[in-house]
Amino acid sequence: MWRLLSWKMSPQQRLEFVGQALDLGITTIDHADIYQSEAPFGEALALAPSLRQRMEIVTKCGIFLAPPDRSTLRVPHYDTSRAHIVASAENSLRQLRTDYIDVLLIHRPDPLMDADEIAEAFRALHRSGKVRYFGVSNFTPAQYELLNSRHELVTNQVELSPFYLAPLHDGTLDQCQRLKVAPMIWSALAGGRLFSEQSERAERVRAVLNALAAHYGVSPNSIVYAWLLQHPSKPVVLTGSGRFAVAQEAVAATAVTLTREHWFAVWSASMGSDVP
Ligand SMILES: NC(=O)c1ccc[n+]([C@@H]2O[C@H](COP(=O)([O-])OP(=O)(O)OC[C@H]3O[C@@H](n4cnc5c(N)ncnc54)[C@H](OP(=O)(O)O)[C@@H]3O)[C@@H](O)[C@H]2O)c1
């Protein structure tokens, strides 16, 4: 929902978009306190409150954006103090016009995070019924391990796309597999750059995606989603498009299984080399 405001939808159109997605089986809705998506989403949800029970709402906290009076000592920063986590979650509930959050994530690893204090905040939010489950985003495996040792986490939301392969190789997805925790994937289409970037790598990746799309009889978007969904950590892949057609392409991807050779065709195009 990061891009929700840019879609220029009326509350009724937002409601229809979400309703159509739910009918397709897309039930996980991703927000953050800093996206400016919670209030417009809550406005739409208020038009049909019964939809709430058909979805899982994820939101995030922990980033403090640039203050209006930015100066040498007024800078964007992370805040994972107990007080901030609880206040942010309570504000998200008000904005989203709901009485519980399904999954609350710490948005980015904070060098000053105190795992015991975060766990205390999580326990308080869980005890009061305000948040059901907790997770993190953009955490290294070591950071995940630390917080998970104090409070059970259910996901690590990370960037992964044919333009960004790091989690495949840095232990992030290995850890998810080991713990049987489904990662969430952001910018699966590299925020749209997959189709617009002018570079040798982009040309290589696009050529492979187009060839695979023709081979499997689906769109290049569906090939990317299928490529991600095929990872054994069983990722939950986010879509960032305001077009319903892209949601349909994501669902179409669940019926596509790439051969191993085809999976590696995408990997090799991204790496610019064959497997060693
Ligand atoms: N945890 C984090 O740190 C973090 C960071 C970033 C994002 N996120 C989450 O991940 C979600 C998805 O991220 P994202 O929006 O970057 O995902 P994305 O799906 O990679 O990018 C969406 C963009 O791609 C464009 N697009 C889709 N299909 C296209 C095509 N065939 N040709 C050209 N452009 C195309 C969309 O434009 P149209 O709308 O015109 O289709 C949209 O602007 C966000 O909404 C947010 O919830 C999390």
Side-chain angles (χ1 to χ4, degrees), residues 2 4 15 19 21 104 122 131 161 191 218 226 236-237 248 260 271:
W2 176 32
L4 179 61
L15 179 66
L104 179 70
F122 285 180
V131 181
S161 76
V218 295
V236 173
V237 181
Q248 290 173 309
R260 274 177 183 260
M271 297 292 282

Side-chain angles (χ1 to χ4, degrees), residues 191-230:
R193 284 185 298 109
L194 214 45
F195 305 98
S196 58
E197 187 174 301
Q198 299 301 318
S199 67
E200 279 182 26
R201 181 184 63 169
E203 298 299 337
R204 277 197 311 269
V205 170
R206 279 197 287 269
V208 169
L209 294 179
N210 288 335
L212 290 173
H215 180 83
Y216 288 91
V218 295
S219 70
N221 274 4
S222 293
I223 295 294
V224 177
Y225 291 130
W227 185 79
L228 292 165
L229 289 167
Q230 216 157 313

Side-chain angles (χ1 to χ4, degrees), residues 1-3 7 30 35 60 107-108 137-138 157 186-192 195 221 225 238-243 246:
M1 289 291 145
W2 176 32
R3 300 174 195 269
W7 301 337
D30 187 66
Y35 286 172
K60 317 185 191 79
H107 204 150
R108 296 230 168 231
S137 182
N138 306 301
Q157 185 179 121
W186 60 265
S187 287
L189 307 174
F195 305 98
N221 274 4
Y225 291 130
L238 297 169
T239 62
S241 173
R243 289 181 295 125
V246 178

Side-chain angles (χ1 to χ4, degrees), residues 68-79:
D69 58 342
R70 188 165 177 176
S71 65
T72 312
L73 296 180
R74 296 280 292 152
V75 296
H77 56 279
Y78 298 145
D79 188 346

Side-chain angles (χ1 to χ4, degrees), residues 131-157:
V131 181
R132 298 182 64 198
Y133 299 98
F134 300 88
V136 294
S137 182
N138 306 301
F139 270 42
T140 65
Q143 291 159 341
Y144 191 100
E145 199 71 46
L146 167 62
L147 191 51
N148 197 45
S149 73
R150 304 299 205 278
H151 194 289
E152 186 190 12
L153 303 175
V154 298
T155 195
N156 189 5
Q157 185 179 121

Side-chain angles (χ1 to χ4, degrees), residues 79-90 117-118 120-121 125:
D79 188 346
T80 53
S81 64
R82 176 183 169 149
H84 180 77
I85 291 171
V86 171
S88 174
E90 288 175 346
E117 187 175 346
I118 295 175
E120 265 179 49
L125 287 167

